[in-house]
Amino acid sequence: AEAEASYTRGLERQADAPLALSRRGQARCEQGRLDEGLEDYLASLRLKPGDPDALREVALIHFMKKRYGPSLESADRSIAAGRDDMDIHSLRGETLRNLERPAEAEKAFDRALERKKDDPILHFYRSRVRYEQGRKEEAFADLETAIRVKPDFAQAIGQRGMLKVKEKRPREALPDLRRALELLPSLKPVLQPYLDQALREGNPVDF
């Protein structure tokens, strides 16, 4: 709130300052006021069209509001305007995945990984779109890399367990599913059905 007030005072002195608008937009987003933050970023872009950083923030806000079409459009404009880092390509990949365009999403994650090799989150993201395209071995390879780099990566461990259940490998899935839930209990709504299925199908001694 203090930061927002400071940027507002700056705008009162210089109403056409795109930087002050972008900073106030950031402060508002950090308070969860996404719609007001978006208004500030769009106002900034009217004054400074093609600002790649403002366009990236607009893409992120649309993504968070589940408006994937506008998110992709803004991400593409950000890249066209010169932004070429891991963040923008990763955001574009996640947007494309939500638009059910996994092949394009994979290419976006490839570009992100070129900029930050062996990032565990990017390997986790890419594993999902590879599996969606039926490339199961590559999906598992991405998860193995993610877990090797970050051994306590609960989401990746849980995802590996889920895929093992889907691939009819219930006994192998159990340690992953249990470990993921131990690391991050909030995953229970997603993982518990797979754990129950693994217990039924694996029929281990301790069932």
Side-chain angles (χ1 to χ4, degrees), residues 134-203:
R135 304 207 337 258
K136 300 172 185 180
E137 289 185 11
E138 291 170 274
F140 276 108
D142 265 330
L143 290 172
E144 295 296 339
T145 299
I147 296 164
R148 174 179 55 78
V149 175
K150 187 179 180 183
D152 61 349
F153 191 174
Q155 291 91 335
I157 296 168
Q159 178 77 358
R160 186 173 65 182
M162 288 166 56
L163 296 189
K164 287 176 179 177
V165 172
K166 291 180 180 180
E167 295 303 308
K168 307 300 181 185
R169 295 155 57 186
R171 287 178 180 268
E172 294 177 50
L174 282 169
D176 281 342
L177 295 169
R178 286 171 169 156
R179 178 60 176 155
L181 287 168
E182 177 187 335
L183 288 167
L184 193 60
S186 62
L187 291 174
K188 186 173 183 178
V190 175
L191 296 184
Q192 189 65 49
Y194 289 92
L195 179 58
D196 293 342
Q197 183 178 344
L199 286 166
R200 287 195 306 271
E201 295 177 356
N203 194 29

Side-chain angles (χ1 to χ4, degrees), residues 1-11 13:
E2 238 178 83
E4 180 185 349
S6 171
Y7 300 135
T8 299
R9 286 193 295 273
L11 286 167
R13 294 191 299 271

